[in-house]
Amino acid sequence: MSYRDLKQAAWEANMELHRRGLVLYTWGNVSQLDRARGVFAIKPSGVPYERLGADDMVVVDLDNEIVEGKLNPSSDTRTHTHLYRHFEVIGGVTHTHSTYATAWAQAQQAIPCFGTTHADYAHGPIPCTAVMSDAQITRDYEEETGVQITDAFSGRDPGATPMVIVAGHAPFTWGKDAAESVYHAVVLEEIARMAYLTKNIDPSAGPLKQEIIDKHYRRKHGKDAYYGQG
Ligand SMILES: [Zn+2]
Protein backbone atom coordinates (compact mmCIF):
# COMPACT_ATOMS: atom_id res chain seq x y z
CA MET A 1 0.00 0.00 0.00
CA SER A 2 1.43 3.44 -0.94
CA TYR A 3 1.71 6.06 1.81
CA ARG A 4 -0.93 8.01 -0.09
CA ASP A 5 -3.41 5.10 0.06
CA LEU A 6 -2.52 4.42 3.69
CA LYS A 7 -3.19 8.05 4.64
CA GLN A 8 -6.42 8.08 2.63
CA ALA A 9 -7.69 4.94 4.45
CA ALA A 10 -6.78 6.41 7.85
CA TRP A 11 -8.40 9.75 7.00
CA GLU A 12 -11.66 8.16 5.77
CA ALA A 13 -11.88 6.07 8.95
CA ASN A 14 -11.26 9.10 11.18
CA MET A 15 -13.97 11.03 9.35
CA GLU A 16 -16.39 8.10 9.68
CA LEU A 17 -15.77 8.10 13.44
CA HIS A 18 -16.64 11.80 13.50
CA ARG A 19 -19.78 11.30 11.32
CA ARG A 20 -21.03 8.56 13.66
CA GLY A 21 -20.97 11.02 16.55
CA LEU A 22 -18.50 9.03 18.63
CA VAL A 23 -16.07 11.89 19.24
CA LEU A 24 -16.32 15.37 20.73
CA TYR A 25 -13.75 17.98 19.69
CA THR A 26 -10.46 16.15 18.99
CA TRP A 27 -11.12 13.18 21.31
CA GLY A 28 -10.41 9.95 19.51
CA ASN A 29 -8.10 8.65 16.81
CA VAL A 30 -7.90 5.93 14.18
CA SER A 31 -4.91 4.36 12.44
CA GLN A 32 -4.41 2.11 9.38
CA LEU A 33 -1.51 -0.37 9.27
CA ASP A 34 0.49 -1.72 6.32
CA ARG A 35 1.98 -4.78 8.01
CA ALA A 36 4.19 -5.75 5.07
CA ARG A 37 5.94 -2.36 5.22
CA GLY A 38 5.75 -2.09 9.03
CA VAL A 39 4.18 1.37 8.97
CA PHE A 40 0.82 2.90 9.82
CA ALA A 41 -0.98 6.18 9.16
CA ILE A 42 -2.60 7.93 12.13
CA LYS A 43 -4.48 11.13 12.86
CA PRO A 44 -2.32 14.10 13.81
CA SER A 45 -2.49 15.40 17.37
CA GLY A 46 -5.03 18.10 18.23
CA VAL A 47 -6.37 18.92 14.73
CA PRO A 48 -10.18 19.42 14.63
CA TYR A 49 -12.05 17.01 12.35
CA GLU A 50 -13.53 19.92 10.38
CA ARG A 51 -10.04 20.90 9.22
CA LEU A 52 -8.62 17.42 8.82
CA GLY A 53 -7.41 16.34 5.34
CA ALA A 54 -5.90 13.06 4.13
CA ASP A 55 -2.53 14.78 3.73
CA ASP A 56 -2.51 15.68 7.43
CA MET A 57 -2.25 12.00 8.40
CA VAL A 58 1.15 11.03 9.80
CA VAL A 59 2.95 7.84 8.75
CA VAL A 60 4.82 6.19 11.63
CA ASP A 61 6.84 2.96 11.83
CA LEU A 62 6.54 0.27 14.51
CA ASP A 63 9.40 1.91 16.47
CA ASN A 64 7.31 5.11 16.72
CA GLU A 65 9.53 7.01 14.27
CA ILE A 66 7.77 9.42 11.89
CA VAL A 67 8.29 8.23 8.32
CA GLU A 68 6.22 10.87 6.55
CA GLY A 69 4.14 13.85 7.63
CA LYS A 70 4.47 17.47 8.71
CA LEU A 71 2.38 17.29 11.89
CA ASN A 72 2.88 15.51 15.22
CA PRO A 73 1.05 12.17 15.34
CA SER A 74 -1.73 11.53 17.88
CA SER A 75 -0.51 11.52 21.49
CA ASP A 76 -1.90 7.94 21.67
CA THR A 77 0.39 6.71 18.86
CA ARG A 78 2.53 4.54 21.15
CA THR A 79 -0.58 2.64 22.26
CA HIS A 80 -1.43 1.88 18.62
CA THR A 81 2.16 0.75 17.96
CA HIS A 82 2.09 -1.58 20.96
CA LEU A 83 -1.17 -3.17 19.77
CA TYR A 84 0.15 -3.68 16.21
CA ARG A 85 3.31 -5.31 17.54
CA HIS A 86 1.43 -7.71 19.83
CA PHE A 87 -1.83 -8.46 17.99
CA GLU A 88 -0.65 -9.88 14.67
CA VAL A 89 -4.15 -10.33 13.22
CA ILE A 90 -5.07 -6.63 13.27
CA GLY A 91 -4.67 -3.86 10.67
CA GLY A 92 -6.57 -0.96 12.20
CA VAL A 93 -7.05 0.57 15.67
CA THR A 94 -9.65 3.05 16.95
CA HIS A 95 -9.69 4.93 20.25
CA THR A 96 -12.64 6.99 21.43
CA HIS A 97 -14.10 8.36 24.65
CA SER A 98 -17.64 7.42 23.56
CA THR A 99 -20.01 7.95 26.48
CA TYR A 100 -21.40 4.54 27.44
CA ALA A 101 -18.24 2.51 26.81
CA THR A 102 -16.27 5.12 28.78
CA ALA A 103 -18.80 4.94 31.63
CA TRP A 104 -18.11 1.19 31.96
CA ALA A 105 -14.37 1.95 31.87
CA GLN A 106 -14.82 4.50 34.66
CA ALA A 107 -16.79 1.95 36.68
CA GLN A 108 -13.82 -0.39 36.01
CA GLN A 109 -16.15 -3.21 35.02
CA ALA A 110 -16.07 -5.63 32.11
CA ILE A 111 -19.23 -5.44 29.99
CA PRO A 112 -21.16 -8.70 30.48
CA CYS A 113 -22.58 -10.44 27.44
CA PHE A 114 -26.28 -9.96 28.15
CA GLY A 115 -27.59 -10.72 24.66
CA THR A 116 -27.10 -11.85 21.10
CA THR A 117 -26.28 -8.36 19.74
CA HIS A 118 -23.15 -8.46 21.87
CA ALA A 119 -22.47 -12.16 21.11
CA ASP A 120 -22.50 -11.46 17.36
CA TYR A 121 -19.39 -9.28 17.73
CA ALA A 122 -17.49 -10.40 20.81
CA HIS A 123 -17.17 -13.90 22.18
CA GLY A 124 -17.88 -13.28 25.87
CA PRO A 125 -17.59 -10.19 28.07
CA ILE A 126 -15.74 -7.09 26.83
CA PRO A 127 -12.69 -7.16 29.10
CA CYS A 128 -11.76 -4.25 31.32
CA THR A 129 -8.03 -3.83 31.95
CA ALA A 130 -6.40 -3.52 35.36
CA VAL A 131 -5.85 0.02 36.62
CA MET A 132 -2.44 1.39 35.62
CA SER A 133 0.21 1.11 38.34
CA ASP A 134 2.27 4.11 39.55
CA ALA A 135 5.39 2.63 37.94
CA GLN A 136 3.61 2.33 34.60
CA ILE A 137 2.37 5.95 34.75
CA THR A 138 5.90 7.31 35.19
CA ARG A 139 7.55 4.84 32.73
CA ASP A 140 5.78 5.55 29.42
CA TYR A 141 2.10 6.31 29.82
CA GLU A 142 0.94 5.68 26.24
CA GLU A 143 3.03 2.54 25.72
CA GLU A 144 1.84 1.24 29.10
CA THR A 145 -1.79 1.81 28.06
CA GLY A 146 -1.01 -0.75 25.34
CA VAL A 147 0.53 -3.05 27.96
CA GLN A 148 -2.64 -2.78 30.05
CA ILE A 149 -4.57 -3.99 27.00
CA THR A 150 -2.25 -6.84 25.98
CA ASP A 151 -2.10 -7.99 29.63
CA ALA A 152 -5.92 -8.11 29.69
CA PHE A 153 -5.77 -10.31 26.56
CA SER A 154 -3.31 -12.88 27.87
CA GLY A 155 -5.02 -16.19 27.05
CA ARG A 156 -7.70 -14.37 25.06
CA ASP A 157 -8.02 -14.11 21.26
CA PRO A 158 -7.97 -10.46 20.06
CA GLY A 159 -9.60 -11.67 16.84
CA ALA A 160 -12.63 -13.07 18.72
CA THR A 161 -13.03 -9.99 20.97
CA PRO A 162 -11.95 -6.94 18.94
CA MET A 163 -12.57 -4.46 21.74
CA VAL A 164 -11.52 -3.57 25.27
CA ILE A 165 -12.19 -0.91 27.86
CA VAL A 166 -9.20 0.56 29.67
CA ALA A 167 -9.93 1.03 33.38
CA GLY A 168 -10.55 4.65 34.31
CA HIS A 169 -9.94 5.71 30.70
CA ALA A 170 -11.96 4.64 27.66
CA PRO A 171 -12.34 2.02 24.91
CA PHE A 172 -9.97 0.79 22.20
CA THR A 173 -11.20 -1.34 19.31
CA TRP A 174 -9.44 -2.97 16.35
CA GLY A 175 -10.15 -4.86 13.15
CA LYS A 176 -8.64 -6.13 9.91
CA ASP A 177 -8.33 -2.49 8.80
CA ALA A 178 -9.07 1.04 10.03
CA ALA A 179 -12.65 0.97 8.70
CA GLU A 180 -13.46 -2.24 10.58
CA SER A 181 -11.93 -0.86 13.80
CA VAL A 182 -14.29 2.14 13.53
CA TYR A 183 -17.22 -0.20 12.89
CA HIS A 184 -16.31 -2.07 16.07
CA ALA A 185 -16.11 1.22 18.00
CA VAL A 186 -19.67 2.05 16.91
CA VAL A 187 -20.86 -1.46 17.81
CA LEU A 188 -19.12 -1.32 21.20
CA GLU A 189 -20.81 1.96 22.10
CA GLU A 190 -24.21 0.43 21.31
CA ILE A 191 -23.42 -2.79 23.24
CA ALA A 192 -22.29 -0.67 26.21
CA ARG A 193 -25.51 1.37 26.09
CA MET A 194 -27.70 -1.74 25.92
CA ALA A 195 -25.79 -3.33 28.83
CA TYR A 196 -26.22 -0.17 30.90
CA LEU A 197 -29.98 -0.17 30.24
CA THR A 198 -30.23 -3.89 31.03
CA LYS A 199 -28.57 -3.27 34.41
CA ASN A 200 -30.99 -0.42 35.05
CA ILE A 201 -34.04 -2.58 34.37
CA ASP A 202 -32.65 -5.43 36.47
CA PRO A 203 -29.53 -4.78 38.58
CA SER A 204 -29.24 -8.55 39.17
CA ALA A 205 -29.26 -9.40 35.44
CA GLY A 206 -26.73 -12.11 34.61
CA PRO A 207 -25.00 -13.01 31.33
CA LEU A 208 -26.71 -14.86 28.53
CA LYS A 209 -26.28 -18.64 28.69
CA GLN A 210 -23.03 -19.79 27.13
CA GLU A 211 -24.63 -22.02 24.49
CA ILE A 212 -26.43 -19.03 22.91
CA ILE A 213 -23.29 -16.87 23.09
CA ASP A 214 -21.36 -19.64 21.29
CA LYS A 215 -24.11 -20.15 18.71
CA HIS A 216 -24.34 -16.45 17.80
CA TYR A 217 -20.61 -15.94 17.69
CA ARG A 218 -20.00 -18.99 15.48
CA ARG A 219 -22.89 -18.09 13.16
CA LYS A 220 -20.87 -15.06 12.05
CA HIS A 221 -17.25 -16.05 12.69
CA GLY A 222 -14.94 -18.98 11.99
CA LYS A 223 -15.10 -21.97 9.68
CA ASP A 224 -18.79 -22.80 10.27
CA ALA A 225 -20.10 -19.22 9.80
CA TYR A 226 -23.22 -18.92 7.68
CA TYR A 227 -24.49 -15.36 8.36
CA GLY A 228 -24.71 -13.00 5.35
CA GLN A 229 -24.20 -13.77 1.68
CA GLY A 230 -21.20 -16.07 2.03
ZN1 LIG B 1 -8.03 8.50 25.54
Side-chain angles (χ1 to χ4, degrees), residues 76 95-97 169-170:
D76 295 315
H95 175 48
T96 80
H97 285 219
H169 184 174

Side-chain angles (χ1 to χ4, degrees), residues 17-71:
L17 192 64
H18 181 59
R19 271 194 301 275
R20 293 282 175 181
L22 255 61
V23 289
L24 275 176
Y25 299 110
T26 59
W27 307 355
N29 43 72
V30 186
S31 67
Q32 167 72 50
L33 176 72
D34 179 341
R35 193 167 289 279
R37 299 178 82 167
V39 295
F40 62 94
I42 191 165
K43 182 172 164 283
S45 184
V47 178
Y49 286 88
E50 293 76 11
R51 285 203 262 121
L52 205 58
D55 275 343
D56 295 328
M57 298 296 120
V58 186
V59 182
V60 179
D61 69 18
L62 294 179
D63 294 316
N64 297 302
E65 297 296 330
I66 295 174
V67 177
E68 188 185 278
K70 299 176 289 289
L71 301 168

Side-chain angles (χ1 to χ4, degrees), residues 106-178:
Q106 292 182 174
Q108 300 177 18
Q109 286 187 32
I111 305 175
C113 185
F114 288 127
T116 65
T117 321
H118 177 137
D120 281 340
Y121 293 96
H123 197 198
I126 312 299
C128 179
T129 71
V131 176
M132 195 182 278
S133 70
D134 292 352
Q136 285 181 297
I137 295 165
T138 49
R139 200 153 49 221
D140 181 336
Y141 182 77
E142 288 76 20
E143 170 84 26
E144 294 296 334
T145 301
V147 174
Q148 279 179 288
I149 296 170
T150 49
D151 282 356
F153 272 77
S154 91
R156 205 187 288 264
D157 175 6
T161 305
M163 43 189 78
V164 69
I165 51 178
V166 177
H169 184 174
F172 280 81
T173 59
W174 46 84
K176 65 180 189 311
D177 54 22

